[in-house]
Amino acid sequence: SAVISQKPSRDICQRGTSLTIQCQVDSQVTMMFWYRQQPGQSLTLIATANQGSEATYESGFVIDKFPISRPNLTFSTLTVSNMSPEDSSIYLCSGEKRGSFYNEQFFGPGTRLTVL
Amino acid sequence: TQLLEQSPQFLSIQEGENLTVYCNSSSVFSSLQWYRQEPGEGPVLLVTVVTGGEVKKLKRLTFQFGDARKDSSLHITAAQPGDTGLYLCAGPLLGGAQKLVFGQGTRLTINP
């Protein structure tokens, strides 16, 4: 299976600041995605990270709040901007398995964010 | 509106019992995947079912895809404490974009 790493693994931040989460994948993935997950709940897709171009955002998520970069095939960042306590959540990156016909994904371990 | 309805959302049973988790939709999926997630980790893919009526077995876990490809089930036989976790069904909508729709998840606890 693919190796996907994220950092930081967790952080506690002050309201109004921004945090950038990094995601590194190995060559076994093609598309990359960013999700948000409240503890114990399901995943909500934030956006698809596109290599060398603007990310594709889902309804309810905007670039000004969650800017995403993917400068190359194996690296992406998600920034949570101007944070508020409502942004406290787990943020997960994933990669679609290369060669998969069924959009199977590998997931990173997640970044647990707490905003005070 | 939840495209994939998972039930039950919480389940706590004793070791050795059997259980079934359901994943239902009014939409057709080109495939359905089941993931398991443990605390502090990302979801891990267990299985993908592709063909209507397909049944796949993974040791004590049996996965079934409905004939119309709108629903799926996960049956665990003789559950063990190591089966504890959050189970998620997910799939790409038939004819939809290359992204996964996730169910709400089933939090399963197996008590020794």
Side-chain angles (χ1 to χ4, degrees):
Chain A
S1 60
V3 175
I4 301 183
S5 61
Q6 281 183 239
K7 57 180 181 182
S9 58
R10 59 177 61 230
D11 208 340
I12 300 173
C13 301
Q14 294 297 321
R15 179 196 299 260
T17 63
S18 298
L19 176 72
T20 296
I21 303 168
Q22 299 180 8
C23 179
Q24 180 77 48
V25 304
D26 68 18
S27 59
Q28 295 187 57
V29 303
T30 53
M31 299 179 71
M32 290 181 72
F33 304 90
W34 286 97
Y35 291 87
R36 186 167 70 183
Q37 181 181 33
Q38 296 295 335
Q41 297 186 24
S42 190
L43 280 66
T44 300
L45 181 63
I46 297 172
T48 303
N50 300 310
Q51 183 186 353
S53 65
E54 190 172 294
T56 304
Y57 289 84
E58 297 300 305
S59 176
F61 297 95
V62 295
I63 188 171
D64 290 346
K65 176 67 175 177
F66 297 102
I68 289 170
S69 78
R70 189 181 176 188
N72 57 54
L73 196 60
T74 61
F75 183 78
S76 178
T77 66
L78 165 73
T79 299
V80 186
S81 303
N82 188 25
M83 289 183 285
S84 66
E86 291 70 37
D87 295 319
S88 297
S89 191
I90 299 167
Y91 292 85
L92 293 150
C93 76
S94 75
E96 183 173 296
K97 179 179 171 183
R98 180 177 292 279
S100 170
F101 291 109
Y102 311 118
N103 310 113
E104 295 149 322
Q105 294 181 16
F106 299 112
F107 286 85
T111 296
R112 182 180 288 266
L113 171 63
T114 302
V115 184
L116 303 177
Chain B
T1 304
Q2 188 74 31
L3 280 174
L4 270 175
E5 295 280 349
Q6 246 183 277
S7 61
Q9 292 189 37
F10 298 93
L11 186 59
S12 179
I13 63 173
Q14 293 301 118
E15 182 176 0
E17 294 182 1
N18 302 331
L19 66 109
T20 302
V21 177
Y22 299 94
C23 182
N24 295 302
S25 178
S26 57
S27 302
V28 178
F29 286 79
S30 53
S31 64
L32 268 180
Q33 301 157 25
W34 286 90
Y35 293 82
R36 182 171 76 196
Q37 184 179 23
E38 300 187 27
E41 300 179 9
V44 174
L45 179 66
L46 296 175
V47 78
T48 302
V49 285
V50 178
T51 307
E54 182 177 6
V55 176
K56 280 190 174 178
K57 291 193 174 184
L58 192 66
K59 297 183 182 178
R60 294 175 293 100
L61 279 61
T62 301
F63 304 85
Q64 188 163 5
F65 202 12
D67 291 341
R69 292 189 291 164
K70 293 182 179 181
D71 55 86
S72 181
S73 63
L74 157 61
H75 182 77
I76 301 179
T77 303
Q80 298 178 0
D83 296 326
T84 293
L86 179 67
Y87 288 81
L88 296 156
C89 64
L93 284 167
L94 184 67
Q98 284 181 281
K99 59 183 180 181
L100 296 180
V101 173
F102 277 85
Q104 306 103 310
T106 296
R107 177 155 294 284
L108 175 63
T109 302
I110 309 300
N111 303 300

